[in-house]
């Protein structure tokens, strides 16, 4: 039976909270590991840590994106990360989550493999 090319695929709900939680946990781990390696002291409180002014290189964020592949069901590429990096964990989570929402919609519209 031929399919109508004008029929849109219904996009499932974007797993916003799961993406945020997964990304946040991975970024915290990465920042803590790097700080320990460099001998940098970080706030003990997670609330303070996620808003602390810490430069997070875009390459670091790209390296941890694979944790999102399982959450969203497709390979997340570097398009989910802003070139130049981020100035806090919260900024990275907010930006990547927003970019992922766009990629999610494109994926289910057939524009992303």
């Amino acid at each position: 039976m031929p399919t109508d090319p004008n029929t849109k695929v219904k996009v499932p709900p974007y797993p916003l909270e799961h993406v945020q939680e997964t990304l946040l946990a991975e970024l915290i781990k990465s920042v803590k590991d790097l700080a320990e390696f460099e001998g940098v002291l970080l706030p003990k409180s997670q609330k303070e840590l996620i808003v602390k002014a810490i430069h997070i290189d875009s390459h670091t964020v790209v390296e941890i994106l694979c944790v999102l592949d399982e959450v969203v069901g497709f390979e997340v590429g570097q398009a989910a990360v802003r070139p130049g990096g981020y100035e806090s964990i919260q900024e990275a989570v907010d930006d990547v989550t927003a970019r992922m929402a766009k990629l999610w919609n494109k994926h289910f519209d057939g524009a992303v493999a």
Side-chain angles (χ1 to χ4, degrees):
M1 179 171 172
T3 57
D4 182 355
N6 296 323
T7 304
K8 289 199 93 168
V9 174
K10 184 173 181 186
V11 177
Y14 174 57
L16 174 67
E17 288 181 12
H18 196 181
V19 169
Q20 288 174 324
E21 291 168 5
T22 304
L23 187 58
L24 180 62
E26 211 50 42
L27 281 167
I28 287 172
K29 181 180 178 298
S30 180
V31 165
K32 284 183 174 180
D33 288 349
L34 185 59
E36 183 179 334
F37 178 75
E38 294 179 348
V40 175
L41 293 176
L42 294 173
K44 300 257 186 239
S45 149
Q46 180 174 316
K47 194 176 202 177
E48 290 176 28
L49 176 61
I50 65 172
V51 296
K52 180 171 177 52
I54 304 168
H55 181 73
I56 305 167
D57 187 81
S58 59
H59 298 291
T60 300
V61 181
V62 168
E63 287 176 9
I64 65 171
L65 286 179
C66 61
V67 300
L68 295 179
D69 293 354
E70 199 171 300
V71 174
V72 296
F74 59 88
E75 188 174 323
V76 178
Q78 65 187 26
V81 178
R82 179 177 66 210
Y86 302 95
E87 296 307 317
S88 73
I89 293 171
Q90 188 64 60
E91 181 183 38
V93 169
D94 292 346
D95 184 67
V96 173
T97 301
R99 289 169 178 264
M100 282 300 307
K102 291 176 185 172
L103 292 173
W104 174 268
N105 288 327
K106 284 182 182 178
H107 175 79
F108 286 99
D109 280 343
V112 176

